[in-house]
Amino acid sequence: MDTIIYIIIQLGVVLLIAPLINGVIKKVKALSQKRKGAPLLQMYFDLYKLMKKSSVVSDVSSWIYKATPYIVFGTAIAAALLVPVSTTILSSISIPGDFIMLVSIFALGRFFMMAAALDTASTFGGMGSSREAMISSLIEPSMMVSLFAIGIIAQTTSLPLIMLKVQTMAFPLVHPVYMMVGLALLIIIIAETARIPVDDPSTHLELTMVHEAMILEYSGRHLALMEYAASVKQLVLITLFVNILMPHDQWIGAGIAAIGLSLLIYLFKVIFMALVIAVFEVNTVKFKLFSIPNLAALAFILAFLGILQFFILGGNHV
């Protein structure tokens, strides 16, 4: 019964908030350019409009192209179930190795997205797939090292247990080990969610497109699922960051009121991270494609230094 309640709350919160995070980022970027910008809830309206429309599918495309939106959305939902939005509702739920599963689930969705883009024989699809393959091959090792660093510190591979472990610390974000891993995770979030300086989701220029090039052929409800999946994946990664480096449930008791308060604080944290991402995007420019390996290398080095620092300082200080 507890598991069912957890799944309902977890999925409900993630599916409800995910489009809002995109709206916050776009609103901040518009205001920085002295524009009013679209409403915060614009993505909800867009998804509703797209879901009512049928999809246009090329006659030459195979089942991969048609099945990919559902697979990508399914992998985003599966990832959302692995990263708790609150530890006040899951103290009895723990899956060993789930952060390894998280990376694998993201890789599965990415594989089908690249295969579907190639399936259409579109020039832009092939270009986006090749660029995505290069970026993912660079970022995934950094993500694995970052998560292993956190797992080594917490002495577990279970994300809920890791989050419970960091709650025993006062402020993990200011600790040198977590600071290194946090910076690495921030770079990984930017790369995995196709944000500037790795990608620019707001443009359709041939020189800059990566994620948008892969979903350019989609329309109607297929496009809605792909866009919704991308926003859910973005929120899952942000949740991973804020709930590991900025835990808050240690100061909240038990009960329904505590769950509500915990989710409210969680909402403020993810909106804060959306503001940080937006401000970062406003103050930087998109990198050249061949500069991205340097960014991925920086994330890998930061995460690896976090592991080294943990052992050099004795291991028991965290």
Side-chain angles (χ1 to χ4, degrees):
M1 187 64 182
D2 288 346
T3 304
I4 295 174
I5 293 173
Y6 160 71
I7 290 173
I8 292 173
I9 295 176
Q10 177 78 14
L11 284 184
V13 170
V14 171
L15 292 177
L16 192 62
I17 295 177
L20 177 65
I21 299 304
N22 265 349
V24 171
I25 294 174
K26 288 181 179 178
K27 192 70 174 180
V28 173
K29 291 176 68 175
L31 291 175
S32 71
Q33 298 166 353
K34 309 298 182 187
R35 295 188 292 112
K36 183 179 179 181
L40 286 174
L41 305 181
Q42 184 61 46
M43 189 172 181
Y44 296 94
F45 305 140
D46 292 342
L47 291 175
Y48 177 70
K49 182 177 65 177
L50 288 171
M51 288 300 289
K52 292 194 300 182
K53 293 184 176 180
S54 58
S55 302
V56 177
V57 180
S58 170
D59 294 335
V60 298
S61 61
S62 70
W63 65 270
I64 294 177
Y65 178 82
K66 299 170 188 172
T68 291
Y70 302 98
I71 295 173
V72 171
F73 188 72
T75 57
I77 294 297
L81 288 174
L82 294 176
V83 183
V85 296
S86 168
T87 55
T88 59
I89 56 173
L90 52 65
S91 57
S92 62
I93 299 175
S94 173
I95 307 174
D98 51 5
F99 72 62
I100 300 172
M101 193 186 302
L102 180 69
V103 178
S104 303
I105 287 172
F106 284 152
L108 178 64
R110 180 183 290 112
F111 169 78
F112 273 95
M113 195 183 296
M114 291 189 297
L118 291 171
D119 188 47
T120 61
S122 161
T123 306
F124 284 107
M127 178 191 68
S129 295
S130 63
R131 290 177 177 176
E132 179 71 13
M134 186 198 82
I135 294 172
S136 62
S137 65
L138 297 169
I139 290 297
E140 280 181 1
S142 304
M143 189 173 182
M144 287 297 295
V145 174
S146 300
L147 294 175
F148 269 117
I150 295 169
I152 289 171
I153 296 169
Q155 298 182 343
T156 177
T157 56
S158 166
L159 287 171
L161 293 181
I162 290 173
M163 291 181 184
L164 291 173
K165 167 70 176 179
V166 297
Q167 289 173 13
T168 61
M169 303 176 61
F171 299 101
L173 192 56
V174 298
H175 192 282
V177 178
Y178 283 94
M179 195 180 295
M180 292 284 185
V181 176
L183 289 173
L185 281 177
L186 192 58
I187 294 173
I188 290 164
I189 291 173
I190 289 168
E192 284 282 339
T193 56
R195 315 295 321 185
I196 296 175
V198 176
D199 192 4
D200 188 354
S202 62
T203 67
H204 288 81
L205 299 175
E206 180 182 352
L207 291 176
T208 61
M209 282 196 299
V210 181
H211 179 264
E212 289 299 312
M214 291 191 293
I215 64 172
L216 201 59
E217 300 294 324
Y218 282 107
S219 60
R221 65 177 67 92
H222 284 169
L223 179 59
L225 288 172
M226 297 293 269
E227 296 282 6
Y228 206 172
S231 66
V232 169
K233 179 182 178 182
Q234 176 178 260
L235 180 59
V236 168
L237 289 169
I238 290 176
T239 301
L240 184 70
F241 183 93
V242 298
N243 279 357
I244 287 179
L245 297 171
M246 295 185 284
H248 64 276
D249 288 325
Q250 68 271 29
W251 295 305
I252 299 176
I256 295 178
I259 293 174
L261 179 60
S262 175
L263 294 178
L264 184 62
I265 297 173
Y266 163 76
L267 176 62
F268 281 117
K269 289 197 303 183
V270 293
I271 289 177
F272 171 75
M273 274 304 297
L275 294 174
V276 171
I277 292 173
V279 171
F280 181 76
E281 281 200 8
V282 168
N283 290 282
T284 188
V285 295
K286 187 184 178 307
F287 286 176
K288 291 187 293 185
L289 188 64
F290 294 108
S291 297
I292 294 175
N294 298 333
L295 194 65
L298 177 61
F300 185 91
I301 291 170
L302 286 170
F304 191 67
L305 285 176
I307 296 176
L308 288 181
Q309 196 168 20
F310 172 74
F311 286 110
I312 290 172
L313 295 179
N316 296 322
H317 61 290
V318 180

